[in-house]
């Protein structure tokens, strides 16, 4: 029996972890024991608890309750708490997801005390080190023993950074093994889309009809912390909603919600708040977000997760970023990068809105990434 400690903390990691927990329970419970640690990075009920309830994620064995803070304060508190747990639990490996502060804290705390790090969603790059996530993901990859990349691009990025693609019999920090295994979020989207309709409540609650609205999210610091960018994004949405007479539904991240009034000019704020076609709601659970993604005509987002889910559910997407780690969907024409440039946002929306001849190649695997990952952990972690 091997023991892994799984680190989660931010909303997308909680969601991602359900794929591995499900695989452990269904196929690996005789050979793999999972201990779950929630760092407490996200703590609002609708950013954390809701997902445990509806996605049957096991209750974390530990919650560090670090809460919000600057990068240094938040990450340091996590490292301190995680190191203690790792010393007590003595796991064979530590699993980290993605690129948040919880990811880098887990990787650093484990690698320094010689516990192998298993990085799920390895190899993704935006090539913009002004993003905190880019620093987290590069550093994490370079202290990992097993790296699982969702895309072919991820493999190429790792090879370009000097990772050998030859496989060693056992994965270690000095001879890491890199696998292209597909995206565990594709596993999750396939799994939960079969049941989401039965459990969602948002369509009726918000009086929404299929293809009658645009789903939008914004939370990236480059958009929320620069007033000019917030202004550009919300002014563009205001214009687009009126031009197309279509509703924009925004389950708004608490970070963005708290900054609407302070970052927007009085004019823009008043227009947004009084525009009946802009519907700002609280963050929703995963069944509800799937329902929104399936029923929206289009997505506008700066979220990594939503970009990809737009592709899974065959919806075009305006990406409110200058670069993306999920470059395949841009290269294939399913999504357009606009940053926070108002002209580009409107132009991209115009060109995607009417077009309906998109193709959807299998960039993200076959829905079995989690089982592949569990098997490699069992076989290769020393
Ligand atoms: C974090 C990740 C980001 C990821 C996002 C997913 C880092 C550096 N960033 O960004 O990569 O895309 O999570 O959602 O790790 N807040 C609440 N309630 C909560 C959580 C946060 O009100 O439950 C507010 C607080 O004001 C906090 C702010 O949101 O200061 C930012 O939270 P934080 O976790 O630091 O970063 P995110 O923007 O959520
Ligand atoms: N999500 C959700 N409810 C919401 C908004 C997002 O369940 O109200 C899900 C979304 O489907 C995706 C994940 O949260 O799976 C993405 O998280 P987020 O956008 O916070 O972070 P990112 O992916 O950008 O790191």
């Amino acid at each position: 029996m091997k023991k892994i400690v799984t680190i989660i903390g931010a909303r997308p990691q909680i969601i991602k972890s359900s794929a591995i927990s499900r695989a452990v329970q269904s196929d690996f419970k005789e050979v793999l024991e999972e201990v779950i640690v929630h760092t407490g990075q996200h703590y609002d009920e609708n950013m954390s608890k809701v997902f445990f309830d509806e996605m049957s994620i096991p209750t974390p064995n530990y919650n560090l309750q670090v809460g919000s803070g600057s990068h240094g304060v938040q990450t340091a508190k996590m490292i301190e708490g995680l190191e203690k747990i790792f010393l007590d639990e003595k796991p064979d490996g530590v699993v980290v997801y993605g690129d948040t502060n919880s990811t880098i804290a887990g990787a650093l705390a484990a690698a320094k005390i010689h516990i192998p790090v298993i990085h799920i969603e390895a190899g993704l790059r935006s090539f913009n080190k002004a993003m905190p996530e880019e620093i987290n993901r590069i550093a994490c990859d370079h202290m990992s023993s097993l790296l699982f990349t969702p895309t072919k691009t991820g493999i190429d990025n790792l090879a370009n950074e000097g990772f050998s693609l030859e496989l060693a019999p056992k994965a270690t920090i000095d001879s890491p093994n890199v696998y292209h295994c597909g995206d565990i979020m594709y596993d999750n989207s396939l799994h939960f889309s079969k049941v989401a309709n039965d459990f969602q409540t948002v369509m009726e609650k918000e009086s929404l009809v299929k293809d009658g609205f645009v789903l939008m999210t914004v939370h990236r610091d480059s958009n929320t912390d620069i007033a000019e960018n917030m202004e550009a994004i919300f002014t563009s949405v205001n214009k687009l909603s009126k031009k197309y007479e279509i509703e924009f539904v925004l389950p708004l991240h608490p970070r963005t919600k708290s900054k609407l009034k302070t970052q927007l000019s009085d004019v823009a704020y008043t227009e947004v708040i009084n525009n009946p076609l802009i519907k700002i709601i609280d963050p929703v659970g995963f069944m509800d977000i799937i329902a929104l993604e399936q029923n929206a005509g289009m997505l506008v987002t700066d979220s990594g997760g939503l970009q990809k889910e737009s592709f899974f559910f065959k919806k075009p997407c305006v990406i409110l970023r200058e670069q993306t780690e999920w470059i395949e969907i841009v290269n294939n024409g399913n999504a357009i990068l606009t940053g926070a440039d108002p002209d580009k946002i409107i132009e991209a929306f115009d060109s995607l809105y009417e077009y309906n001849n998109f193709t959807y190649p299998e960039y993200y695997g076959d829905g079995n990434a989690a089982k592949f990952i569990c098997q490699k952990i069992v076989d290769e972690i020393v």
Side-chain angles (χ1 to χ4, degrees), residues 351-362:
S351 78
L352 292 170
Y353 192 74
E354 302 293 349
Y355 189 74
N356 53 18
N357 212 4
F358 298 103
T359 60
Y360 294 90
E362 283 191 357

Side-chain angles (χ1 to χ4, degrees), residues 1-2 10 26 45 77 100 131 139 142 150 176 184 186 233 269 286 310 352 364:
M1 176 75 98
K2 286 199 170 139
S26 67
E45 176 150 349
K77 279 188 191 164
T100 73
M131 289 182 74
H142 287 264
I184 52 166
Y186 187 52
I233 289 169
Y269 181 77
F286 197 60
S310 73
L352 292 170
Y364 299 106

Side-chain angles (χ1 to χ4, degrees), residues 10 12 41-44 68 71 100-101 133 219-220 253-255:
Q41 178 169 354
H42 285 176
Y43 43 84
D44 288 349
S68 303
H71 288 284
T100 73
N101 288 345
E133 293 84 358
H219 74 275
R220 226 23 85 190
H253 189 293
R255 167 182 207 133

Side-chain angles (χ1 to χ4, degrees), residues 30-73:
E30 309 302 328
V31 283
L32 212 48
E33 178 193 354
E34 184 182 34
V35 173
I36 300 177
V37 182
H38 192 327
T39 62
Q41 178 169 354
H42 285 176
Y43 43 84
D44 288 349
E45 176 150 349
N46 57 25
M47 296 292 285
S48 175
K49 185 171 182 302
V50 61
F51 303 106
F52 291 92
D53 295 345
E54 64 178 4
M55 299 175 83
S56 304
I57 303 167
T59 305
N61 304 73
Y62 301 87
N63 190 325
L64 296 174
Q65 296 186 316
V66 299
S68 303
S70 68
H71 288 284
V73 167

